[in-house]
Amino acid sequence: MTETLLTVSNLKKYFPIRKGVLRRTVGYVKAVDDVNFTVHKGETLGIVGESGCGKSTTGRSILRLIEPTSGDVLFQDKNLTKLSKSSLRHLRQKMQIVFQDPYASLNPRYKVGKILERPMQIHGLYTPAERSKRVRTLLERCGLDPSAANKYPHEFSGGQRQRIGIARALTLNPSLIVLDEPVSALDVSVQSQIINLLEDLQQEFGLTYLFIAHDLSVVRHISDRIAVMYLGQMAELAESLELFDNPLHPYTQALLSAIPVPDPEVKRERILLRGDLPSPANPPSGCPFHTRCKDAMDVCKAKKPVWKEVKPGHHVACHLYS
Amino acid sequence: MASYIIRRLIGAVVVLFGISIITFIIAYAAPGDPARLIVGAKAPQSVVDAVRHNLGLDQPLPIQYIHYVGRLLQGNLGFSYHNNLPVTELLGQRLGNTVQLALGGWIVELILGIPLGIFGALYHRRIADYILSFLSLVGISMPVFVFGMWLIQNVAHGLGILPLGGAGGISHLILPSITLGVTGMAFYQRLMKSSMVEVMGQDYIRTARAFGVPPRRVITHHAMRNGLLPAVTYAGMDIAQLFGGVVLTETVFNYPGIGQLAWQSIENLDFPVIMATVLLAAVFVVVANFVVDIVYSVIDPRISLS
Amino acid sequence: MNNVALEPSLSPGAGSVTQTKRKFELLKFVKRYPSVVIGGLIVLVMVIIALFAPVIAHYDPLKPMPDGLTQLGAPRPPSHEYILGTDTQGRDVFSRVLFGARVSLEVGFFAGLISLFIGALLGVISGYFGGWVDMVIMRITDMVLAFPFLLFVVALVAALSPSVHNVFIAIGVFGWAQMARIIRSQVLSVKELEYVQAAKSLGASAWNIIFVEVLPNVVTPVIIYLALAIGQNIMLEAALSFLGFGVQPPNPSWGNMIQEGMGYYQLAPWLIYAPGISLLVATIGFNLLGDGLRDWLDPKVGK
């Protein structure tokens, strides 16, 4: 039986839209709208979706970098959304984040050594000598020369900076790391190096990853399970192989058909998505995907589909399967 | 649009309230007993107490403030014991003079500053621009009263062509207006120049040039509208600055306006007048800002009003 | 071994190369940012004058000289003995100008510090915490910016009673609004950067983030603004003293010297020109320095 590390239930993040004399709230951008999933210990859960679908907001709301509007996040049997600020700060040691932009995520004014020691200083871990030793070990473990500690972030390339960002996330010995599009800003050749590094580190330190990406092909390789998001809601969640072999949601099918196949002999029908992504401030009624769905039925416009497990471990929100 | 205007109006009223509170507190904290000032130093204490009671000065501060605002709303600005006149009457005598002077200064600022700025942009990085930039720096750093004295000595007295001071007719306005406007003129020159230089470097201007639109027309038809935006913003905010200058200019030129009145009343600790002049100045500033916001939204359609 | 032998003979040569390189770079800097250099020099001279006024001045700025007035009782024009002449009471104008620099700098600097402190505190709180706190602080800031500044400062000084301290307190207390706005906008842009989010995710407290991640990135605009603000404050102090609400006679300030000389502009124009030109040069210095620093340190804002 796999152990559950993180349970997200009914997570919502609404950003208010204000108008008028009194700046009254006239509506909401439902960036994350009633999202449910669990993450098992030691696995990698990929979250995929177009930009603006709320996947990053989901990741950041879980860590409470953005305060969620409602919902519960159970992490190591503690409800993060109910924790006080100080106990949350304490628990942050166990959950870390790696950001998309390796240029913006490191303060240009400090040397790498200082950037990496800072988390340990904040939490009062180790002696100064142990800290600097640990920094060097971690740099080396992440594929950088220990002398990197004496340099400034601007002296490194994007890939190297992302390694520094990963080393920083590791300084506190976390059990969960949210990877917020960690390779999207990198060259393709560097992407696979970073993904390999992440896999090695996962094995070595027993890490659990929540891997956010906008591209299925990136997460396919590293993820045990994959969740697909559309307009702030979960469309489908299944084990990686199952999702690729047997996609149920028409949106997932469309995304999969867009992945190029290296074999020119294989003829595949490309499912083109009609129209544009609707605005999350004014999402379509019923199923949010019905405006672009090839299988849309009348019920899709009227009723929101229920998120349910149609096969063991395979969840989908679609009227085709209810 | 309506909601935008209403919000700005509420904001303006809040600002005026804040200013009235602060002036009131300053007046209250000031040394000297107003009742004693009224009856004179030799009057017995019982008379002072009676006057204080009559004026409501023995009541708690918030009550006094409420009474003060109540009187303000009825258009009663109080009574100047020093001048033995109601404050409204005192202001009325001088308001016209100050409005003329302020307008004069404003015209000098804008009428000279903006074209000089455009001129500087046209001759960007050439001798004329460098000379103009240096003069602007001097203008911006020039204390109003030093420049005023210099004009009095060299133009009014030295050349003997314009009056040394006082009010009455256009000739009395020329030197004070120049004095008042010179800092602002330098400011607008710089602002306009940098804004024009920036606009001229933009793609749509280059496109217009590439299409063969004559240079003069590029400036008047294409660049000016956008280049003017920052100047318009400041034209309103500037009134606050201008009023500071008015006090100094009127003092130097012995010009009978609100600024001179404010100065004299501060010297005499004549608080009803001080509070009235400060409030009046604040009203000018707030109204000007309000108008500028509306004008701005007309010039630049990108500013959303909702 | 070879390396060790070579090293001593190499290093002097290398040293002189870097020295000429440095000289060259200094020249390039002067050419590129002349306003920083000129403004900086003016400010430096003023600081030296203010610090060493008692050493530089030959005469007591407060004491009428025995031969300070002509037989008719008029001030003496500039001469070898009194470089900038004497004033109506027979005091040495040059010494008074030197001591006036002291007052100007003192007021300019301390008023700047007060407004920096208030502005930084409010700007950081406003920008970092946002929400209703931000709204309240920004409305107050708008209000202060709408004040007829000079009138308020004059009224406050009059209410507190005129003195050097009260002048810089009054200027500082009303002068922070611009600073608060600049710092707030800077904090707003820094706050959204991912390294601030990273610090948050590492468990750093709000004030820890403000001091370690945010404030170091706000220093540049603050320095630029401080230079400009000191120039403004010097001008304001002079205006206050000119109106009679600043430094009180017999203590010299450029403003009250001009005020005293106003009635004698025909007879003794140096009474106005000596302090007036000093004041003008000082404000030019600070304005040049501020503008130059902006071009140099903040290429985004500088035009």
Side-chain angles (χ1 to χ4, degrees), chain C residues 45-61 83 92 94-102:
Chain C
V45 168
M46 195 178 164
V47 169
I48 291 172
I49 287 176
L51 286 178
F52 298 104
V55 184
I56 306 170
H58 295 337
Y59 306 104
D60 186 333
I83 310 173
D92 178 38
F94 181 61
S95 306
R96 288 177 70 75
V97 167
L98 294 181
F99 277 86
R102 252 185 178 191

Side-chain angles (χ1 to χ4, degrees), chain B residues 18-19 22 31 137 140-143 145-146 149-150 153-154 157 164 190 198 243-244 251 262-263 266 278 281 285, chain C residues 146-148 150-152 154 158-159 235 239 242-243 245 258 262 265-266 272-273 279-280 283-284 287-288 291 303:
Chain B
I19 288 175
I22 292 176
L137 176 71
I140 248 171
S141 312
M142 179 69 86
F145 49 101
V146 173
M149 288 307 301
W150 184 82
Q153 203 207 344
N154 290 285
H157 191 263
L164 294 167
R190 292 176 135 200
E198 193 189 313
F243 209 90
T251 307
W263 176 54
I266 291 171
V278 171
V285 173
Chain C
F147 285 171
L150 184 73
L151 268 188
F152 258 78
V154 168
M235 199 137 62
F242 174 78
L243 291 174
F245 299 106
I258 294 170
M262 218 166 80
Y265 66 89
Q266 294 162 260
I272 295 168
Y273 287 134
L279 181 57
L280 179 63
T283 34
I284 287 180
N287 281 338
L288 265 178
D291 287 349
K303 279 163 204 161

Side-chain angles (χ1 to χ4, degrees), chain C:
Chain C
M1 271 325 269
N2 251 347
N3 277 339
V4 179
L6 272 175
E7 226 172 18
S9 66
L10 255 181
S11 51
S16 71
V17 165
T18 53
Q19 236 172 30
T20 46
K21 202 177 154 199
R22 243 184 233 148
K23 224 184 221 167
F24 182 67
E25 273 177 1
L26 191 73
L27 261 173
K28 224 165 74 179
F29 183 83
V30 174
K31 239 186 123 181
R32 228 176 130 196
Y33 302 107
S35 21
V36 178
V37 179
I38 299 170
L41 279 177
I42 293 176
V43 169
L44 187 71
V45 168
M46 195 178 164
V47 169
I48 291 172
I49 287 176
L51 286 178
F52 298 104
V55 184
I56 306 170
H58 295 337
Y59 306 104
D60 186 333
L62 303 182
K63 242 199 229 141
M65 294 293 122
D67 60 343
L69 294 173
T70 60
Q71 272 141 346
L72 296 170
R76 285 190 187 279
S79 63
H80 186 68
E81 196 178 354
Y82 302 108
I83 310 173
L84 295 175
T86 61
D87 70 1
T88 51
Q89 297 181 39
R91 296 171 297 197
D92 178 38
V93 172
F94 181 61
S95 306
R96 288 177 70 75
V97 167
L98 294 181
F99 277 86
R102 252 185 178 191
V103 173
S104 290
L105 259 192
E106 191 184 339
V107 170
F109 183 72
F110 284 110
L113 276 194
I114 292 174
S115 45
L116 171 66
F117 181 76
I118 302 175
L121 190 70
L122 293 179
V124 164
I125 291 176
S126 192
Y128 190 81
F129 294 102
W132 67 267
V133 182
D134 178 36
M135 217 184 69
V136 171
I137 292 178
M138 278 304 107
R139 285 297 81 74
I140 295 175
T141 309
D142 286 348
M143 201 153 82
V144 173
L145 283 175
F147 285 171
F149 189 73
L150 184 73
L151 268 188
F152 258 78
V153 173
V154 168
L156 186 58
V157 173
L160 293 172
S161 84
S163 76
V164 178
H165 289 95
N166 289 338
V167 169
F168 66 66
I169 289 172
I171 297 176
V173 160
F174 286 114
W176 53 268
Q178 201 65 38
M179 189 63 109
R181 274 198 170 179
I182 291 170
I183 292 180
R184 173 178 175 270
S185 71
Q186 198 72 12
V187 169
L188 274 182
S189 64
V190 173
K191 177 176 95 163
E192 291 310 317
L193 293 176
E194 282 190 335
Y195 63 77
V196 175
Q197 294 289 310
K200 201 172 160 193
S201 80
L202 293 167
S205 66
W207 286 103
N208 181 302
I209 293 177
I210 287 172
F211 279 106
V212 181
E213 315 280 352
V214 177
L215 281 185
N217 287 297
V218 179
V219 170
T220 308
V222 164
I223 290 175
I224 294 165
Y225 181 74
L226 197 61
L228 295 172
I230 291 176
Q232 281 289 318
N233 294 342
I234 287 177
M235 199 137 62
L236 259 173
E237 182 277 323
L240 282 176
S241 298
F242 174 78
L243 291 174
F245 299 106
V247 176
Q248 297 298 302
N251 291 315
S253 136
W254 294 340
N256 72 23
M257 289 171 74
I258 294 170
Q259 160 74 34
E260 284 168 25
M262 218 166 80
Y264 303 87
Y265 66 89
Q266 294 162 260
L267 186 69
W270 59 90
L271 293 184
I272 295 168
Y273 287 134
I277 290 171
S278 309
L279 181 57
L280 179 63
V281 171
T283 34
I284 287 180
F286 277 99
N287 281 338
L288 265 178
L289 183 63
D291 287 349
L293 284 175
R294 174 156 45 208
D295 292 342
W296 175 30
L297 301 172
D298 203 353
K300 277 169 293 175
V301 188
K303 279 163 204 161

Side-chain angles (χ1 to χ4, degrees), chain A residues 60 65 89 92 96-97 99-101 104-110 118-119 122-123 168 172, chain C residues 193-206 208-209 211-213 216-217 220:
Chain A
R60 290 183 189 203
L65 288 179
R89 276 214 302 276
R92 286 202 188 283
Q96 282 301 310
I97 180 165
F99 293 95
Q100 172 178 3
D101 185 349
S105 57
L106 305 173
N107 192 332
R109 292 187 180 261
Y110 298 118
R118 191 159 139 65
I122 290 169
H123 292 282
R168 173 172 60 188
L172 296 173
Chain C
L193 293 176
E194 282 190 335
Y195 63 77
V196 175
Q197 294 289 310
K200 201 172 160 193
S201 80
L202 293 167
S205 66
N208 181 302
I209 293 177
F211 279 106
V212 181
E213 315 280 352
N217 287 297
T220 308

Side-chain angles (χ1 to χ4, degrees), chain A residues 220 259-266:
Chain A
R220 165 189 224 164
I259 298 179
V261 183
D263 185 352
E265 298 296 309
V266 177

